[in-house]
Amino acid sequence: MNQSSRFVVSSEWLDRELGAPDLRIVDASFYLPAQQRNAEAEYAAGHIPGAVRFNHDAVADHSSDLPHMVPSPEVFAEAVGRMGISESDRIVIYDGPGIFSAPRGWWLFRIMGAQNVFILDGGLDGWKAEGRPLETDVPAPAPALFNPTFQPEKVIDLDTMKAIVDARSIQVADARSAARFTAAEPEPRQGLRAGHMPGAKNLPSSLFSTNGKLKPMPELRRILEDAGLDLSRPVVTSCGSGITAAIITLALESVGHEDNALYDGSWTEWGGRSDTPVVSASDE
């Protein structure tokens, strides 16, 4: 029995498939200031052959003052169409470390209607460590038509999140570190309260991978259940700004849990307001 998620592909597989006419490769790297990495500079210095650059902050809803919020289907389709991507292509998404920001790209393409979306296990760091090919040329693909089929139920807004927390009607899984979740450490973004939503479960995003590779499905299931999630019930994922929440989403979908959604504003929105309930470890 294959214990790997159906949503990840190996570097060996991708290396063999390079140049396939229906294959589209997307560099969706994104870094926090503390990581001291520059996604644009790294892409320019060398990327997987044929990879186009997907900037989470560029392909976003710019009417919001929150970072990298989900764009409208029209904005998304126009942006990725310019990248030469259609919804029927095989799409492989990667980031630098492996399982960090690529799952957000994977989730975004899927909720916009792409069917065959995968994540490169091990990321670009693993690809480079294995001595696989890189290029510095920026691809100039022919524009494509991406026909979006948006799933709005997969994206949770503030009002819906308030109702969920108030009623404790849906399980909430928070991907931030334990120290941030419990308020033992302050938030890295200025102006945000520390702590978590009442009733939320803490599932730090780092739990789900080893050396940039997604853990086998039995381990993913164990991590989810050990954190107190009932996999027969719906789940909303959250994090700092909506990026690493998608790692929990990836784990859920990998083990067959489909009744999940992502709180797009995440803690940047929730912790930045005065009208949202916040608790710390000492409160529960």
Side-chain angles (χ1 to χ4, degrees), residues 168 171-174 181 196-202 279 284:
R168 303 284 180 104
Q171 302 171 101
V172 178
D174 189 326
F181 183 84
H196 59 269
M197 299 172 213
K201 308 291 187 186
N202 189 207
V279 295
E284 293 188 311

Side-chain angles (χ1 to χ4, degrees), residues 22-107:
D22 65 333
L23 180 69
R24 301 293 178 266
I25 306 173
V26 178
D27 181 322
S29 301
F30 166 90
Y31 299 110
L32 298 168
Q35 291 170 287
Q36 297 184 325
R37 294 179 67 164
N38 183 309
E40 303 297 336
E42 290 190 19
Y43 176 80
H47 47 265
I48 295 175
V52 295
R53 175 81 185 113
F54 183 94
N55 183 322
H56 292 274
D57 286 314
V59 187
D61 176 7
H62 296 298
S63 70
S64 171
D65 58 0
L66 296 166
H68 39 255
M69 295 288 280
V70 172
S72 70
E74 296 75 21
V75 166
F76 180 87
E78 197 269 335
V80 301
R82 284 201 313 270
M83 299 174 193
I85 303 171
S86 78
E87 79 284 352
S88 59
D89 289 328
R90 288 186 299 163
I91 303 165
V92 175
I93 301 181
Y94 73 85
D95 59 34
I99 307 292
F100 183 65
S101 58
R104 168 75 182 201
W106 164 88
W107 173 77

Side-chain angles (χ1 to χ4, degrees), residues 178-259:
R180 289 169 64 188
F181 183 84
T182 60
E185 286 181 3
E187 284 295 305
R189 285 183 174 84
Q190 293 294 315
L192 301 187
R193 292 175 294 162
H196 59 269
M197 299 172 213
K201 308 291 187 186
N202 189 207
L203 291 89
S205 59
S206 59
L207 293 176
F208 297 97
S209 62
T210 303
N211 297 324
K213 296 187 177 183
L214 193 68
K215 289 181 177 178
M217 286 192 290
E219 287 191 53
L220 297 179
R221 180 177 291 275
R222 178 184 56 74
I223 292 164
L224 294 164
E225 291 178 342
D226 284 355
L229 292 184
D230 178 349
L231 297 180
S232 69
R233 296 177 53 224
V235 177
V236 171
T237 63
S238 182
C239 61
S241 65
I243 296 283
T244 60
I247 297 173
I248 304 179
T249 306
L250 172 63
L252 288 166
E253 293 277 343
S254 294
V255 303
H257 184 286
E258 297 179 350
D259 191 2

